[in-house]
Structures are given as structure tokens and as C-alpha cells.
């Protein structure tokens, strides 16, 4: 990061880095680099050294307020500057919301798959006792726990309850 001389940044970059202005971003640029960011930067320099003029990568930066942002970063050596590397255009696109949505979607999918396992255990059982054993086994497997139990009633306000089955 210390080797980079920033010529100009747009308002979107200032906002992405949560900087007070262009000068604050210029001064604090090194703070935005994490180990993941530095690795992408090293890879970009390596590719440029081998004659490549473009690199696209996904990485994480740290804003000047300390928050982590996931970004797509695009490095492009400007035409005519391939030998000196004195002008490289760097673009960052914030993908944090998309990554959060992907993570939420995956968590929801995992939840639905767990429900499907329980549903299959219920539907495949010949009798009530076997169904309860199969459901508890499914819960143990899905959550990687060492103990599961069914209790009745499921009302948290109930003064007492029974545990008809434990695994």
C-alpha cells in the first residue's frame, strides 16, 4: 500500500471507505489493506510484471472506520503505461450486501434441508416410536449434537412437561 500513489478518487470511493474526504482516504489508504487485500495487490503486481494488463478479484477491505467491506476489485493498466505502470486504474465495487444475501440464502437452504430430513423421517416411519427415534437421529445428525430429546407440551409457560424420548 505504501507504494501506491493515489492520483484521484471519486465520491463513491470516499463513501465506500467511509472517509471524511479525498485527503483522508489518501492519508489512510494503508489502513484499508487487510491480509486478503494485500494478497490481491501482490497478485496484481505479479500479473502486471508478466505483461498482463487486467485483473479482477474478490477481496475484503477495511474502511477507515474499521468496518470490513467485501468488494470486487478491478485493476487495469492504462494503455501506453504498460512499461512504467505509472497509471493503473483501480475500481472497487461493494458486494457486501450481495454476500450477506448469499449467506442468508444458504442458511435458509440449510434450514429447509434440515426440515426435509425430519419430514422424511416422519413420513418413512412405520409406527410412532420408530418415527420419534428417526426424528431424534435426524436432529442429532443435522446439528452435530450428542443429545436430543422431545418434550411435551411445547408450551414454555407450562408448569410441568414430560420427556417421552431422549437419544
Amino acid at each position: 500500500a505504501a507504494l501506491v500513489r493515489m492520483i484521484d478518487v471519486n465520491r463513491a470511493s470516499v463513501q465506500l471507505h467511509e472517509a471524511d474526504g479525498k485527503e483522508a482516504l489518501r492519508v489512510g489508504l494503508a489502513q484499508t489493506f487487510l491480509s486478503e487485500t494485500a494478497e490481491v495487490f501482490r497478485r496484481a503486481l505479479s500479473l502486471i510484471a508478466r505483461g498482463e494488463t487486467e485483473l479482477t478479484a474478490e477481496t475484503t477491505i477495511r474502511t477507515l472506520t474499521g468496518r470490513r467491506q467485501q468488494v470486487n476489485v478491478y485493476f487495469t493498466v492504462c494503455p501506453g503505461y504498460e512499461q512504467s505502470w505509472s497509471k493503473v486504474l483501480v475500481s472497487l465495487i461493494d458486494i457486501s450486501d450481495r454476500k450477506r444475501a448469499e449467506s442468508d440464502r444458504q442458511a435458509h437452504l440449510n434450514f429447509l434441508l434440515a426440515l426435509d430430513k425430519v419430514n422424511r423421517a416422519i413420513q418413512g416411519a412405520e409406527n410412532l416410536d420408530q418415527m420419534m427415534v428417526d426424528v431424534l437421529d435426524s436432529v442429532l445428525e443435522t446439528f452435530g449434537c450428542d443429545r436430543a430429546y422431545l418434550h411435551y407440551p411445547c408450551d414454555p409457560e407450562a408448569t410441568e412437561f414430560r420427556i417421552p424420548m431422549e437419544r
Side-chain angles (χ1 to χ4, degrees), residues 16-84:
L16 175 66
H17 289 86
E18 298 177 339
D20 292 331
K22 289 182 180 184
E23 189 56 32
L25 181 53
R26 240 189 280 273
V27 170
L29 183 64
Q31 296 173 29
T32 68
F33 276 60
L34 299 168
S35 60
E36 305 98 309
T37 318
E39 179 56 38
V40 168
F41 187 67
R42 277 191 290 278
R43 196 170 49 175
L45 292 177
S46 173
L47 288 172
I48 291 170
R50 287 185 286 176
E52 298 287 329
T53 59
E54 294 182 358
L55 169 72
T56 301
E58 191 175 290
T59 191
T60 305
I61 62 167
R62 180 180 29 237
T63 67
L64 294 181
T65 62
R67 201 162 53 89
R68 294 171 66 94
Q69 294 276 68
Q70 293 176 298
V71 296
N72 276 341
V73 60
Y74 303 92
F75 292 90
T76 304
V77 179
C78 294
Y81 295 92
E82 293 85 357
Q83 299 304 313
S84 67

Side-chain angles (χ1 to χ4, degrees), residues 6-159:
M6 194 178 341
I7 296 172
D8 195 17
V9 295
N10 60 19
R11 190 171 4 109
S13 291
V14 171
Q15 290 172 344
L16 175 66
H17 289 86
E18 298 177 339
D20 292 331
K22 289 182 180 184
E23 189 56 32
L25 181 53
R26 240 189 280 273
V27 170
L29 183 64
Q31 296 173 29
T32 68
F33 276 60
L34 299 168
S35 60
E36 305 98 309
T37 318
E39 179 56 38
V40 168
F41 187 67
R42 277 191 290 278
R43 196 170 49 175
L45 292 177
S46 173
L47 288 172
I48 291 170
R50 287 185 286 176
E52 298 287 329
T53 59
E54 294 182 358
L55 169 72
T56 301
E58 191 175 290
T59 191
T60 305
I61 62 167
R62 180 180 29 237
T63 67
L64 294 181
T65 62
R67 201 162 53 89
R68 294 171 66 94
Q69 294 276 68
Q70 293 176 298
V71 296
N72 276 341
V73 60
Y74 303 92
F75 292 90
T76 304
V77 179
C78 294
Y81 295 92
E82 293 85 357
Q83 299 304 313
S84 67
W85 309 348
S86 60
K87 286 197 180 177
V88 177
L89 179 63
V90 180
S91 300
L92 301 175
I93 297 176
D94 184 1
I95 59 170
S96 299
D97 289 341
R98 187 189 85 203
K99 288 301 217 175
R100 259 188 304 281
E102 287 174 3
S103 177
D104 290 349
R105 184 195 62 76
Q106 187 61 49
H108 186 69
L109 177 62
N110 291 342
F111 173 74
L112 292 174
L113 290 172
L115 283 178
D116 184 54
K117 279 184 179 180
V118 170
N119 186 48
R120 279 187 271 134
I122 290 170
Q123 290 180 347
E126 301 277 329
N127 60 56
L128 184 60
D129 288 335
Q130 185 60 47
M131 179 196 69
M132 289 173 60
V133 167
D134 292 348
V135 167
L136 288 176
D137 286 345
S138 176
V139 168
L140 289 170
E141 178 188 337
T142 299
F143 296 107
C145 51
D146 60 357
R147 175 166 289 164
Y149 58 89
L150 297 174
H151 67 85
Y152 178 82
C154 296
D155 179 7
E157 302 298 321
T159 57

